[in-house]
Amino acid sequence: MAKIIAMMNQKGGVGKTTSTINLAACLAVAEKKTLVIDLDPQGNGSISLGLDASQHTECNIYHAMIGQASIKNAIYQTELPYLHICPSDNNLSGAEIELVSLFARESKLKMAFEPVMDDYDYILIDCPPSLGLLTVNALNAADSFIVPMQTEYLAMEGLAQLLNTVRLIKNSLNPNLKMDGILLTMYDGRSSLHKQVTGEIRKHFGEKVFEAVIPRNVKLAECPSFGKPIILYDIESKGSEAYLALAKELILKEREAQGLPELPVEETVADELPEVPNLESSQVETQDQLQ
């Protein structure tokens, strides 16, 4: 049965779509059957994997959620044999309004998944940059979630609200929802500020932060315009190396959580979500001061 992971952060421009697409591609290269669900009405995930909008206008995740089509008919093959995508388009913008009056509106995505749960090892959901009904559906359907986060202090401002939403989902809809971790993105190793922010995040969240860090990389910015994940666009780039390391880390964590004998098993899965640090008390200098 597939492990469902929601990539979420209500702040835009933090690398959710980039991370979803490239993590999925790296899992597929490891011969893990992977499905990407593009739950963002902007449809950037679909474009990043080379799908033309005209290919899926009549059948995509929108039609699966409102019951007009089976999700099996809304899944499309990508360049990678083990990677499929269920795309989206602008119609998804109106889905939140349409779902309001429906019974079990928070579970429409979860119900849509049921026919394909046994067909994949991983299902990755690219959530929209909001905490609306689409994101609630994603969290209700997911086994766990990953929070892509820029290595800047302003990127942490909305984290408390995000984690509060997750707690509400855990308490009312999905008590088994877990946090896989925080993924640091757009990291610039030349910046003292980025290094200091990274240190602060790791200090407060500890093992909840992935060891893999996604750098600010030109190749990562270029590859969506070619409709390719980074491993097909430039496998030797720093961005490709980072996402391959992330995929390896995620797979090893999953194997460890399953208690497979060849890996050391530690029962350290935290049931409770970490608290957000008080940023006002952090003794961090500004970029100008550091320079």
Side-chain angles (χ1 to χ4, degrees):
M1 182 174 288
K3 177 176 181 179
I4 304 174
I5 303 174
M7 306 288 285
M8 63 172 297
N9 192 328
Q10 82 275 21
K11 184 176 175 61
V14 298
K16 286 190 303 295
T17 298
T18 298
S19 295
T20 304
I21 296 306
N22 289 297
L23 174 58
C26 292
L27 291 170
V29 167
E31 298 188 350
K32 300 293 184 181
K33 294 179 181 178
T34 306
L35 173 64
V36 171
I37 302 292
D38 189 353
L39 206 61
D40 190 340
Q42 298 176 84
N44 290 336
S46 308
I47 296 170
S48 298
L49 283 178
L51 261 69
D52 188 276
S54 61
Q55 291 180 255
H56 54 80
T57 303
E58 300 299 326
C59 193
N60 55 50
I61 188 61
Y62 164 75
H63 301 93
M65 285 188 68
I66 64 173
Q68 288 186 359
S70 168
I71 194 169
K72 287 189 174 183
N73 297 326
I75 291 174
Y76 299 81
Q77 179 68 55
T78 70
E79 284 189 69
L80 294 168
Y82 286 85
L83 180 60
H84 297 131
I85 181 168
C86 183
S88 71
D89 60 16
N90 288 332
N91 286 325
L92 198 58
S93 300
E96 292 195 64
I97 299 174
E98 294 181 49
L99 290 173
V100 167
S101 60
L102 298 181
F103 176 73
R105 59 191 178 188
E106 302 89 354
S107 302
K108 292 301 179 183
L109 185 62
K110 185 176 182 179
M111 290 187 287
F113 278 163
E114 290 180 359
V116 297
M117 284 295 294
D118 293 328
D119 297 340
Y120 296 96
D121 297 307
Y122 290 94
I123 297 177
L124 271 58
I125 308 172
D126 182 22
C127 296
S130 70
L131 295 177
L133 192 53
L134 290 176
T135 300
V136 170
N137 264 267
L139 291 175
N140 189 25
D143 299 308
S144 61
F145 65 97
I146 293 173
V147 183
M149 181 184 294
Q150 284 179 276
T151 49
E152 298 176 2
Y153 277 104
L154 290 179
M156 294 183 65
E157 293 245 336
L159 188 58
Q161 182 184 358
L162 183 152
L163 294 180
N164 183 59
T165 299
V166 171
R167 289 188 182 95
L168 292 175
I169 298 296
K170 283 173 65 72
N171 290 336
S172 59
L173 296 171
N174 187 0
N176 296 319
L177 183 64
K178 304 288 184 183
M179 183 179 187
D180 275 336
I182 294 172
L183 175 63
L184 301 178
T185 64
M186 303 181 186
Y187 175 77
D188 187 350
R190 299 168 298 179
S191 169
S192 298
L193 180 62
H194 281 212
K195 291 178 182 178
Q196 199 161 3
V197 169
T198 298
E200 287 288 327
I201 293 173
R202 291 195 184 280
K203 175 183 175 182
H204 286 292
F205 292 100
E207 293 182 358
K208 289 293 183 183
V209 184
F210 284 102
E211 290 296 325
V213 176
I214 310 304
R216 191 178 293 276
N217 184 256
V218 174
K219 296 296 184 181
L220 279 175
E222 290 176 354
C223 62
S225 63
F226 291 88
K228 295 178 181 290
I230 189 64
I231 57 171
L232 294 182
Y233 182 68
D234 188 349
I235 196 170
E236 295 182 351
S237 68
K238 295 293 184 183
S240 180
E241 292 175 359
Y243 279 111
L244 285 168
L246 175 63
K248 179 180 179 181
E249 188 175 350
L250 185 66
I251 291 170
L252 290 177
K253 281 186 175 182
E254 180 67 12
R255 289 172 63 86
E256 185 175 336
Q258 291 175 354
L260 297 181
E262 61 267 26
L263 292 175
V265 179
E266 297 180 10
E267 296 182 2
T268 57
V269 179
D271 290 330
E272 297 195 6
L273 296 165
E275 295 296 327
V276 178
N278 183 358
L279 299 181
E280 295 181 356
S281 65
S282 299
Q283 301 297 318
V284 179
E285 299 168 322
T286 66
Q287 180 73 45
D288 293 338
Q289 289 174 320
L290 288 169
Q291 293 177 344

Short mmCIF file of all heavy atoms in Angstrom, two decimals, residues 4 31 59 66 74 81 105 109 128 138 142 148 151-152 154 186 216 243 247 256 265 277:
data_model
loop_
_atom_site.label_atom_id
_atom_site.label_comp_id
_atom_site.label_asym_id
_atom_site.label_seq_id
_atom_site.Cartn_x
_atom_site.Cartn_y
_atom_site.Cartn_z
N ILE A 4 1.40 7.97 1.62
CA ILE A 4 0.95 9.25 1.08
C ILE A 4 1.62 10.38 1.86
O ILE A 4 1.50 10.46 3.09
CB ILE A 4 -0.58 9.39 1.15
CG1 ILE A 4 -1.24 8.21 0.43
CG2 ILE A 4 -1.03 10.70 0.54
CD1 ILE A 4 -2.75 8.19 0.56
N GLU A 31 13.35 2.99 -8.42
CA GLU A 31 12.37 1.96 -8.77
C GLU A 31 11.26 1.84 -7.73
O GLU A 31 10.74 0.76 -7.47
CB GLU A 31 13.05 0.61 -9.01
CG GLU A 31 14.03 0.64 -10.18
CD GLU A 31 14.56 -0.73 -10.55
OE1 GLU A 31 14.32 -1.69 -9.79
OE2 GLU A 31 15.20 -0.85 -11.61
N CYS A 59 -9.98 15.55 -17.96
CA CYS A 59 -9.87 14.56 -16.89
C CYS A 59 -8.59 14.80 -16.08
O CYS A 59 -7.49 14.51 -16.53
CB CYS A 59 -9.85 13.15 -17.50
SG CYS A 59 -10.10 11.84 -16.27
N ILE A 66 -14.48 15.65 -7.49
CA ILE A 66 -15.92 15.93 -7.47
C ILE A 66 -16.75 14.76 -7.99
O ILE A 66 -17.97 14.86 -8.11
CB ILE A 66 -16.25 17.21 -8.26
CG1 ILE A 66 -15.94 17.03 -9.75
CG2 ILE A 66 -15.52 18.41 -7.69
CD1 ILE A 66 -16.40 18.20 -10.61
N ALA A 74 -7.43 9.67 -14.64
CA ALA A 74 -6.82 11.00 -14.55
C ALA A 74 -5.31 10.93 -14.29
O ALA A 74 -4.69 11.94 -13.98
CB ALA A 74 -7.49 11.80 -13.43
N PRO A 81 9.71 5.68 -16.13
CA PRO A 81 8.77 4.54 -16.11
C PRO A 81 8.02 4.37 -14.79
O PRO A 81 6.87 3.94 -14.81
CB PRO A 81 9.70 3.34 -16.36
CG PRO A 81 10.89 3.90 -17.04
CD PRO A 81 11.07 5.28 -16.50
N ARG A 105 -16.88 16.52 2.85
CA ARG A 105 -16.07 17.34 1.94
C ARG A 105 -14.58 17.24 2.24
O ARG A 105 -13.75 17.39 1.34
CB ARG A 105 -16.51 18.79 2.03
CG ARG A 105 -16.40 19.38 3.43
CD ARG A 105 -17.08 20.72 3.55
NE ARG A 105 -16.99 21.24 4.92
CZ ARG A 105 -17.63 22.32 5.34
NH1 ARG A 105 -18.41 22.97 4.50
NH2 ARG A 105 -17.49 22.73 6.58
N LEU A 109 -10.63 13.74 -1.42
CA LEU A 109 -9.36 13.28 -2.00
C LEU A 109 -9.01 11.89 -1.50
O LEU A 109 -8.55 11.04 -2.26
CB LEU A 109 -8.24 14.27 -1.64
CG LEU A 109 -6.88 14.00 -2.28
CD1 LEU A 109 -6.96 14.08 -3.80
CD2 LEU A 109 -5.83 14.97 -1.76
N PRO A 128 -1.56 23.40 -2.40
CA PRO A 128 -1.57 24.82 -2.76
C PRO A 128 -1.01 25.66 -1.61
O PRO A 128 -0.95 25.21 -0.47
CB PRO A 128 -3.06 25.11 -2.98
CG PRO A 128 -3.77 24.10 -2.13
CD PRO A 128 -2.91 22.87 -2.16
N ALA A 138 -5.84 17.15 1.62
CA ALA A 138 -4.53 16.51 1.48
C ALA A 138 -4.06 15.94 2.81
O ALA A 138 -3.57 14.80 2.87
CB ALA A 138 -3.51 17.52 0.95
N ALA A 142 -3.35 12.03 3.85
CA ALA A 142 -1.93 11.72 3.96
C ALA A 142 -1.61 10.87 5.19
O ALA A 142 -2.30 10.92 6.21
CB ALA A 142 -1.12 13.00 3.99
N PRO A 148 8.54 22.11 3.24
CA PRO A 148 9.67 22.81 2.63
C PRO A 148 9.75 24.23 3.19
O PRO A 148 8.72 24.92 3.29
CB PRO A 148 9.32 22.83 1.13
CG PRO A 148 8.25 21.79 0.96
CD PRO A 148 7.50 21.79 2.25
N THR A 151 15.58 29.07 4.10
CA THR A 151 16.47 29.35 5.23
C THR A 151 16.49 30.85 5.51
O THR A 151 17.54 31.50 5.48
CB THR A 151 17.88 28.82 4.95
OG1 THR A 151 18.30 29.26 3.65
CG2 THR A 151 17.91 27.32 5.00
N GLU A 152 15.32 31.39 5.76
CA GLU A 152 15.15 32.80 6.10
C GLU A 152 14.13 32.89 7.22
O GLU A 152 13.20 32.08 7.30
CB GLU A 152 14.67 33.60 4.89
CG GLU A 152 15.65 33.60 3.73
CD GLU A 152 15.12 34.32 2.51
OE1 GLU A 152 13.98 34.85 2.59
OE2 GLU A 152 15.81 34.34 1.47
N LEU A 154 11.69 35.05 7.85
CA LEU A 154 10.30 35.33 7.48
C LEU A 154 9.57 34.07 7.04
O LEU A 154 8.35 33.99 7.15
CB LEU A 154 10.26 36.38 6.37
CG LEU A 154 10.68 37.80 6.77
CD1 LEU A 154 10.62 38.73 5.57
CD2 LEU A 154 9.79 38.32 7.89
N MET A 186 16.42 26.42 -0.91
CA MET A 186 16.99 27.68 -1.38
C MET A 186 18.15 28.15 -0.50
O MET A 186 18.31 29.33 -0.22
CB MET A 186 15.91 28.77 -1.48
CG MET A 186 14.76 28.38 -2.38
SD MET A 186 13.52 29.66 -2.51
CE MET A 186 12.26 28.83 -3.48
N ARG A 216 20.27 26.78 -3.38
CA ARG A 216 19.80 27.69 -4.44
C ARG A 216 20.63 27.37 -5.68
O ARG A 216 21.85 27.51 -5.67
CB ARG A 216 20.00 29.14 -4.00
CG ARG A 216 19.31 30.15 -4.89
CD ARG A 216 19.52 31.55 -4.37
NE ARG A 216 18.86 31.76 -3.11
CZ ARG A 216 17.58 32.09 -2.96
NH1 ARG A 216 16.81 32.21 -4.03
NH2 ARG A 216 17.06 32.28 -1.76
N TYR A 243 18.52 16.34 -4.08
CA TYR A 243 17.25 15.60 -4.09
C TYR A 243 17.46 14.09 -4.07
O TYR A 243 16.64 13.35 -3.51
CB TYR A 243 16.39 16.02 -5.27
CG TYR A 243 15.65 17.31 -5.01
CD1 TYR A 243 15.99 18.48 -5.68
CD2 TYR A 243 14.64 17.37 -4.05
CE1 TYR A 243 15.33 19.67 -5.42
CE2 TYR A 243 13.98 18.55 -3.77
CZ TYR A 243 14.32 19.70 -4.46
OH TYR A 243 13.67 20.88 -4.18
N ALA A 247 15.85 11.72 -1.23
CA ALA A 247 15.11 10.47 -1.52
C ALA A 247 15.72 9.31 -0.74
O ALA A 247 14.99 8.48 -0.17
CB ALA A 247 15.13 10.19 -3.02
N GLU A 256 13.45 1.99 8.23
CA GLU A 256 13.71 1.92 9.67
C GLU A 256 12.40 1.91 10.46
O GLU A 256 12.25 1.16 11.42
CB GLU A 256 14.57 3.11 10.09
CG GLU A 256 15.00 3.07 11.55
CD GLU A 256 15.96 4.18 11.90
OE1 GLU A 256 16.64 4.69 10.99
OE2 GLU A 256 16.02 4.54 13.09
N VAL A 265 16.80 -0.25 14.27
CA VAL A 265 15.47 0.27 14.49
C VAL A 265 15.41 0.99 15.83
O VAL A 265 15.79 0.45 16.85
CB VAL A 265 14.41 -0.87 14.47
CG1 VAL A 265 13.03 -0.31 14.71
CG2 VAL A 265 14.47 -1.61 13.14
N PRO A 277 9.69 27.98 17.62
CA PRO A 277 10.50 28.84 18.47
C PRO A 277 10.03 30.28 18.43
O PRO A 277 9.44 30.73 17.45
CB PRO A 277 11.90 28.70 17.87
CG PRO A 277 11.66 28.33 16.45
CD PRO A 277 10.45 27.46 16.47
#
